[in-house]
Amino acid sequence: MTNYCLPKDITPEIFLRDYWQKKPLIIRNGLPQIVGQFEPDDIIELAQNEDATARLVKTYADDDWKVSFSPLSEQDFDNLPARWSVLVQNLEQWSTELGDLWNAFGFIPQWQRDDIMVSYAPKGGSVGKHYDEYDVFLVQGYGQRRWQLGKWCNPSTEFKPNQPIRIFDDMGELVIDEVMNPGDILYVPARMSHFGVAESDCLTFSFGLRYPNLSDILDNVNKGFCHNNPDIDLSAFLLPLRLAQMPQSTGKLGQPEIQAIKAQFIEKFTQSLEFDRLFQQALAQTVTSRRYEMLVSDDMADPDEILDLLQNESVVLTQDNNCKLAYLEQPELEIYANGEWLDELNPLEKSILKALSDGESLDLSAIQQLVDEDIDMDLLLDSICNWVDDGWVVLR
């Protein structure tokens, strides 16, 4: 049974029905596994890594905020004001153990995952009153932070002018005002105002979830038209218009033509099997794309070592949660990883990656049970080595 982070009296069904994108939820000691994984010095050191994506937010007064962006150096942390915070994105890139904790939120489809961000602040540190365009589970990993949640916001919500970060003063009536301790979780729906202040030196981990951006989907649809579906003939769209044009001013693009083209555009895209296929491929590529460049080790996996590990009954193959995996089942099983359609997989490879993306852990016997026919172990080991090298899977 999957160990989700929800309270005993709240099932995934109840959470999705009553809380998800509707109201916040405090889960006391919901993720005790996170305690002790990092300390403040770890994050300050990581923020100075040239490959890290980090921000240093400094508060000199209520209306005097300064932000420095990576690459950060040791000198950036000299002569800091009393109130400051450092934030590092994409923590699953740096810690497989932390990435594993995504499984505690497995009641939300993984294609909605964004990344794990950490915020370190000494006592009094904050990034101001704000809201996010994504849902987030705020997990306290070290120290204490006081959180206040207030009004719902929207794109018309006004932020303070001339500030390097999006902050405001008015949070409306508070609905939550609580201190989070190590292991505690606070779920904050998208567009709900919130304000966190460090009660002591503290680390807060943000497990962010978001929906795909429409422009990104359309961009991948366009790429599909250009590269993957040369047989779709778009020139036929305008043929009826060429035959039905009426005399008009030579420079005018009239409403009848605009509406006719729009109608044909919508009809083509809502009644075309080719477009349905193209759209779901573009969507799968979009939702599995990473926002941050993936770091890949120079070390190469060895097939013999992989086999030795798999022959140990205590070792299993799992998804590396630094990778974004998803699959389509119609019209046939397709696997997507980090924005790429893996169109050269054999049926066994598809079955393995599908199971891993659903949160399963597979030992050697479980892998062998996925197909009835004999397995070419040499080919399978080569594939697993490639997946390990690409950062898709790990052996535990």
Side-chain angles (χ1 to χ4, degrees):
M1 181 178 178
T2 304
N3 293 319
Y4 294 141
C5 63
L6 295 171
K8 292 181 179 179
D9 59 340
I10 298 180
T11 65
E13 292 78 13
I14 292 174
F15 177 83
L16 293 172
R17 183 192 68 202
D18 297 340
Y19 293 91
W20 179 244
Q21 300 180 331
K22 296 182 181 74
K23 60 182 179 180
L25 176 66
I26 293 174
I27 309 171
R28 295 294 183 186
N29 201 36
L31 204 61
Q33 309 95 301
I34 203 169
V35 180
Q37 288 201 15
F38 290 91
E39 295 189 355
D41 287 346
D42 301 324
I43 301 306
I44 294 175
E45 180 180 354
L46 178 58
Q48 298 171 45
N49 188 298
E50 62 180 8
D51 293 318
T53 302
R55 290 168 289 160
L56 179 60
V57 180
K58 294 165 281 189
T59 315
Y60 293 93
D62 288 343
D63 290 313
D64 187 12
W65 296 74
K66 305 294 181 185
V67 181
S68 301
F69 296 92
S70 54
L72 299 174
S73 67
E74 187 175 349
Q75 289 70 36
D76 289 309
F77 291 87
D78 293 336
N79 302 316
L80 291 171
R83 294 181 294 164
W84 59 276
S85 298
V86 64
L87 303 94
V88 184
Q89 304 283 162
N90 197 27
L91 260 289
E92 56 267 74
Q93 174 86 305
W94 303 96
S95 170
T96 301
E97 291 75 16
L98 183 65
D100 287 345
L101 298 185
W102 268 122
N103 297 329
F105 305 93
F107 47 92
I108 308 294
Q110 72 159 292
W111 61 261
Q112 294 185 40
R113 295 176 188 170
D114 190 15
D115 76 320
I116 304 172
M117 182 189 76
V118 65
S119 170
Y120 165 68
K123 183 176 181 178
S126 175
V127 293
K129 300 171 183 177
H130 66 286
Y131 75 89
D132 299 310
E133 293 285 356
Y134 53 87
D135 296 84
V136 63
F137 291 91
L138 300 168
V139 185
Q140 198 63 26
Y142 182 97
Q144 291 79 30
R145 191 184 293 261
R146 178 186 178 189
W147 284 103
Q148 295 178 328
L149 275 62
K151 69 180 182 181
W152 292 93
C153 302
N154 58 55
S156 67
T157 299
E158 293 187 5
F159 297 99
K160 285 187 176 183
N162 305 316
Q163 295 296 333
I165 55 177
R166 302 196 316 166
I167 55 175
F168 48 74
D169 287 324
D170 180 20
M171 289 181 58
E173 182 180 353
L174 296 183
V175 296
I176 283 180
D177 187 353
E178 296 280 352
V179 173
M180 298 292 112
N181 298 306
D184 289 348
I185 302 172
L186 173 61
Y187 165 64
V188 182
R191 294 189 174 177
M192 190 170 204
S193 60
H194 51 287
F195 179 42
V197 179
E199 296 279 295
S200 60
D201 283 11
C202 75
L203 299 177
T204 303
F205 295 83
S206 302
F207 290 72
L209 298 125
R210 70 171 71 221
Y211 283 95
N213 185 288
L214 180 58
S215 64
D216 293 334
I217 299 174
L218 293 177
D219 185 49
N220 279 320
V221 167
N222 181 59
K223 290 177 182 177
F225 272 126
C226 295
H227 302 293
N228 301 330
N229 293 269
D231 295 333
I232 297 179
D233 182 12
L234 299 184
S235 65
F237 274 21
L238 301 183
L239 184 58
L241 291 176
R242 296 193 187 107
L243 299 177
Q245 286 179 347
M246 300 295 291
Q248 64 180 28
S249 300
T250 187
K252 179 181 179 181
L253 175 59
Q255 281 300 315
E257 289 80 16
I258 293 173
Q259 295 305 318
I261 293 174
K262 177 182 176 182
Q264 290 184 51
F265 187 85
I266 293 173
E267 180 182 5
K268 179 70 175 179
F269 284 174
T270 57
Q271 299 183 13
S272 165
L273 293 177
E274 297 101 323
F275 179 75
D276 285 346
R277 170 90 170 136
L278 176 62
F279 181 81
Q280 67 176 11
Q281 289 178 334
L283 182 59
Q285 290 172 319
T286 302
V287 299
T288 58
S289 294
R290 295 170 46 84
R291 277 206 299 151
Y292 303 98
E293 184 177 351
M294 189 168 185
L295 301 179
V296 179
S297 172
D298 292 332
D299 296 333
M300 304 294 287
D302 179 81
D304 291 333
E305 293 179 2
I306 295 292
L307 180 59
D308 287 342
L309 287 169
L310 285 174
Q311 288 175 336
N312 184 330
E313 292 183 358
S314 64
V315 174
V316 294
L317 187 69
T318 69
Q319 175 185 346
D320 186 336
N321 282 323
N322 187 39
C323 170
K324 298 185 72 174
L325 276 178
Y327 59 86
L328 300 172
E329 290 186 314
Q330 300 295 331
E332 60 183 20
L333 181 61
E334 294 178 1
I335 309 295
Y336 292 79
N338 293 341
E340 178 186 359
W341 174 24
L342 310 182
D343 58 347
E344 296 183 354
L345 299 176
N346 62 43
L348 174 59
E349 293 168 338
K350 290 182 181 180
S351 297
I352 292 173
L353 290 175
K354 176 180 181 292
L356 298 184
S357 72
D358 281 333
E360 296 185 33
S361 299
L362 304 176
D363 60 16
L364 186 58
S365 62
I367 292 173
Q368 292 171 332
Q369 291 172 8
L370 288 174
V371 290
D372 296 329
E373 58 194 50
D374 292 336
I375 297 175
D376 187 327
M377 187 54 67
D378 289 336
L379 289 177
L380 178 59
L381 290 172
D382 286 341
S383 296
I384 294 176
C385 284
N386 290 334
W387 301 345
V388 171
D389 293 339
D390 289 335
W392 300 347
V393 303
V394 291
L395 289 163
R396 304 205 188 285

